[in-house]
Every structure is written in structure tokens, then in C-alpha cells.
């Protein structure tokens, strides 16, 4: 089995910063993609950013230049550095692992940005 545990969510101020972490455990190939998705109330779950084992990254347009995804392959951990926060960033953020054609999800961590 594969388990993903997120941490680092909470209350942030507009223009401020937060850093999310997600640690993966279990047995899976190193050749995987990890990332972050978010879901606001009444909205669908949308991609925020992803990163492959080899270092390729992908970002949703609204977070480009503000958020940075990174990963520590030795720890099976992915991070999301969130700068210049906006109220519209408020959502539950979910960690994702895609490997061997399957998706695995964390329980989610709430991020709330006040104006």
C-alpha cells in the first residue's frame, strides 16, 4: 500500500507565504510523478503543480511565478513553496502520487488566505 501525509497548511495573509510538505511511504517505483491539487468549496479538484523524479515541473497558470514545487527523492517527499498568497488560493490542498498508471491521494490540508 501507498500512503501520503500532508503538512504545513493553515492560515496565511495576502502577500505572505506558506510551505506545504507531503511524505510518501510504501512500495512504489522511483520513476513517478508527485504533485499538488486543490479544491475550493463548490469547485472541482484542479492541478496546482507537479514534479517528476527527473526534475520536470508543470504549473497551473495562476500560480506561475508565485509557487515553487520541489522534491527530495531520498525522502520521497514533495514540497510546495507558496509565496505572494492571494485569497483565491484558499482551498484544501491534496498531495498526489502517480505511478504505474495509478493515482494515490493524501487526506488534504486546509489553506486559508485572509485579505
Amino acid at each position: 500500500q501507498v500512503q501520503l501525509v500532508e503538512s504545513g497548511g493553515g492560515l496565511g495573509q495576502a502577500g505572505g507565504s506558506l510551505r506545504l510538505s507531503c511524505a510518501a511511504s510504501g512500495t512504489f517505483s522511483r520513476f513517478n510523478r508527485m504533485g499538488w491539487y486543490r479544491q475550493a468549496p463548490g469547485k472541482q479538484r484542479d492541478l496546482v503543480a507537479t514534479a517528476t523524479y527527473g526534475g520536470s515541473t508543470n504549473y497551473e497558470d495562476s500560480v506561475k511565478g508565485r509557487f515553487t514545487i520541489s522534491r527530495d527523492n531520498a525522502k520521497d517527499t514533495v514540497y510546495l513553496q507558496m509565496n505572494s498568497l492571494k485569497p483565491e488560493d484558499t482551498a484544501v490542498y491534496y498531495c498526489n502520487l502517480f505511478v504505474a498508471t495509478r493515482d494515490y491521494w493524501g487526506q488534504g490540508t486546509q489553506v486559508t488566505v485572509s485579505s
Side-chain angles (χ1 to χ4, degrees):
Q1 65 182 191
V2 175
Q3 295 173 310
L4 301 173
V5 180
E6 304 105 329
S7 62
L11 179 63
Q13 295 181 326
S17 299
L18 287 172
R19 188 178 190 235
L20 306 183
S21 299
C22 172
S25 62
T27 301
F28 51 88
S29 172
R30 70 181 67 183
F31 302 108
N32 60 66
R33 186 186 72 217
M34 299 186 73
W36 295 92
Y37 292 68
R38 64 187 180 186
Q39 186 169 21
K43 306 293 184 180
Q44 67 178 7
R45 187 176 299 184
D46 293 325
L47 178 144
V48 178
T50 61
T52 68
Y53 174 85
S56 297
T57 58
N58 183 49
Y59 295 91
E60 193 274 326
D61 286 344
S62 69
V63 308
K64 288 181 179 177
R66 299 190 299 121
F67 293 6
T68 302
I69 190 169
S70 61
R71 54 186 289 169
D72 184 338
N73 292 327
K75 296 181 178 179
D76 289 329
T77 300
V78 64
Y79 307 92
L80 186 68
Q81 179 65 47
M82 307 166 64
N83 297 328
S84 301
L85 286 167
K86 302 176 180 180
E88 49 263 47
D89 294 321
T90 295
V92 176
Y93 284 68
Y94 295 91
C95 181
N96 168 260
L97 170 67
F98 179 73
V99 61
T101 76
R102 299 193 65 175
D103 278 301
Y104 300 89
W105 297 93
Q107 66 179 4
T109 184
Q110 177 71 46
V111 171
T112 301
V113 182
S114 64
S115 60

